[in-house]
Amino acid sequence: MRILIVNDDGIQSKGICRLASLARELGEVWVVAPHSQCSAMSHKISVFGTMEVIRETEFPVEGVMAYSLTGSPADCVKVGLDYLLPWKPDLVFSGINHGFNVGYDILYSGTVGAAMEALVNGIPAMAFSNDTNEDCRVSDRYLIPIVKSLLKKDIAPHAIWNVNFPAGDPEKVRGILEGRFTASMSAYRTLYHAGKEREGRVELEIGNERQKGPEEGSDMAAVFAGYISVGKVESAVLRN
């Protein structure tokens, strides 16, 4: 298989290196990722000005051609398909994101936005997220078996697979829950704290805290309870 890998955490992210390393088992892999952190950019694209494409000669996964781009995650898909890649990929993988992409957070996710850009171009896509990229033991063990399973399943051309992994000991994972629906809340609540104030301006410090109380059967309830969550995210625009 030929696979394009993108993300929103940037080319230096541990998650994209892990995903590229794992995906090598499936075939030829190219990476096109933002040059810097681009989380919460959703499906943003660049339509004016210029972007810089950088060949990443020191990307730490052998046999992978890697580039970074001074654009958004969706830009990475567009530039990869229309400028860089010598072939049309069979699959686009997006991730592995640092932090869950469940519930309403999917709306903001650059990881999901990049996967949706693949659908715009007629390419099946999967988005992968991890509780924290400081502990990828669960995704290391389960990601490729899950991918192989999902490749055998039917999915509509207006939908992507969205897979979320908990952190921790793989032996303690409670299982894989498929068909999870999107929770009707965000996994994280944004917090704003007033900092310096001068001349009518207030500097806000931005933080977040994990929410409580997701619905049973949802993607969020699954990962909060220590399961791997597998669900679909559909584009209403592409469905029409």
Side-chain angles (χ1 to χ4, degrees), residues 141-174:
R141 176 175 296 188
Y142 288 100
L143 189 146
I144 292 301
I146 288 174
V147 168
K148 290 179 177 179
S149 174
L150 294 180
L151 289 175
K152 298 175 184 178
K153 299 178 184 293
D154 292 329
I155 187 169
H158 60 270
I160 66 166
W161 293 109
N162 185 38
V163 185
N164 283 268
F165 299 94
D169 185 348
E171 301 297 333
K172 295 181 180 179
V173 171
R174 299 180 66 183

Side-chain angles (χ1 to χ4, degrees), residues 7-215:
N7 77 345
D8 71 0
D9 289 326
I11 192 70
Q12 302 300 327
S13 166
K14 295 179 181 178
I16 201 168
C17 295
R18 294 302 309 147
L19 184 54
S21 179
L22 293 167
R24 288 281 289 129
E25 179 181 332
L26 301 173
E28 185 175 357
V29 173
W30 281 49
V31 167
V32 184
H35 185 63
S36 58
Q37 173 60 251
C38 286
S39 290
M41 283 197 173
S42 189
H43 204 144
K44 174 185 175 181
I45 61 170
S46 301
V47 293
F48 300 109
T50 62
M51 290 185 288
E52 185 176 15
V53 178
I54 305 163
R55 170 75 189 280
E56 297 290 337
T57 57
E58 297 184 3
F59 190 75
V61 182
E62 185 177 355
V64 171
M65 188 74 75
Y67 293 86
S68 64
L69 178 72
T70 57
S72 70
D75 284 331
C76 291
V77 177
K78 291 172 68 65
V79 171
L81 297 181
D82 295 337
Y83 178 74
L84 289 170
L85 272 65
W87 31 252
K88 182 177 180 178
D90 301 300
L91 281 171
V92 170
F93 287 167
S94 188
I96 301 171
N97 188 66
H98 175 67
F100 295 131
N101 273 309
V102 293
Y104 288 167
D105 295 308
I106 288 170
L107 295 170
Y108 309 112
S109 170
T111 303
V112 173
M116 286 297 180
E117 180 60 31
L119 293 191
V120 170
N121 290 275
I123 303 168
M126 300 183 187
F128 303 100
S129 302
N130 207 82
D131 185 12
T132 168
N133 276 342
E134 301 305 317
D135 185 351
C136 292
R137 290 175 292 167
V138 174
S139 53
D140 282 350
R141 176 175 296 188
Y142 288 100
L143 189 146
I144 292 301
I146 288 174
V147 168
K148 290 179 177 179
S149 174
L150 294 180
L151 289 175
K152 298 175 184 178
K153 299 178 184 293
D154 292 329
I155 187 169
H158 60 270
I160 66 166
W161 293 109
N162 185 38
V163 185
N164 283 268
F165 299 94
D169 185 348
E171 301 297 333
K172 295 181 180 179
V173 171
R174 299 180 66 183
I176 301 171
L177 295 180
E178 298 190 8
R180 300 299 92 186
F181 65 85
T182 302
S184 58
M185 60 186 295
S186 293
Y188 308 99
R189 176 172 175 259
T190 306
L191 304 174
Y192 303 100
H193 300 286
K196 297 177 181 178
E197 182 175 357
R198 62 183 185 278
E199 298 179 357
R201 299 183 180 185
V202 177
E203 183 179 274
L204 293 180
E205 297 177 0
I206 304 171
N208 63 76
E209 64 180 8
R210 186 170 291 185
Q211 302 264 48
K212 297 179 180 179
E215 311 100 310

